[in-house]
Amino acid sequence: MSDFDDIDLALLRLLSEDATRSAGALGRDVGLSQPAAWRRIKRLTDLGVIAGRRLDLDREALGFGVTVFLGVKLATKGRVSLEDFERAVSAIPEVQTVEHVLGLYDYRLRVVARDISDFERVLRRRIMTLPGVGDVEANVLLSEERRPGPLGTAEA
């Protein structure tokens, strides 16, 4: 992180809190003009530090009140390629994230559902029928708090 000064880090913190803020508003908060803030944001994007901006939707407000983390162990790694599993599981709309992990399970999935019976339907009809699925462990999300990224939240 030595190539980034305090202003770069402050811009990244502010953008991580609200990626919709304009370059003018960001510049005012860090003591830059709008064009100077825009140039820094463009440089950080060109360097790949800012990989994109995403919209966080309130799943509960959209009717998805249950979030479950699934640990999935593939039963037949030799016959089913990891890419085949990833492609098939990524096509399931209720699966929000697919993470290939090291440990007891091969994959960690974040699955949303309207309620527990809807989750059971997704699990039985969509996930358990995927190629190569062996053991599955479910952990229902009870609560979640947003944690700051590696930059923390302290002002620069």
Side-chain angles (χ1 to χ4, degrees), residues 41-50:
I41 293 165
K42 171 131 179 46
R43 181 177 67 78
L44 292 166
T45 301
D46 291 346
L47 289 171
V49 175
I50 299 173

Side-chain angles (χ1 to χ4, degrees), residues 10-11 14-15 18-38 41:
L11 286 169
L14 290 168
L15 284 169
D18 182 1
T20 65
R21 297 188 62 195
S22 70
L26 292 165
R28 280 190 297 280
D29 284 352
V30 298
L32 294 177
S33 67
Q34 183 273 339
W38 183 87
I41 293 165

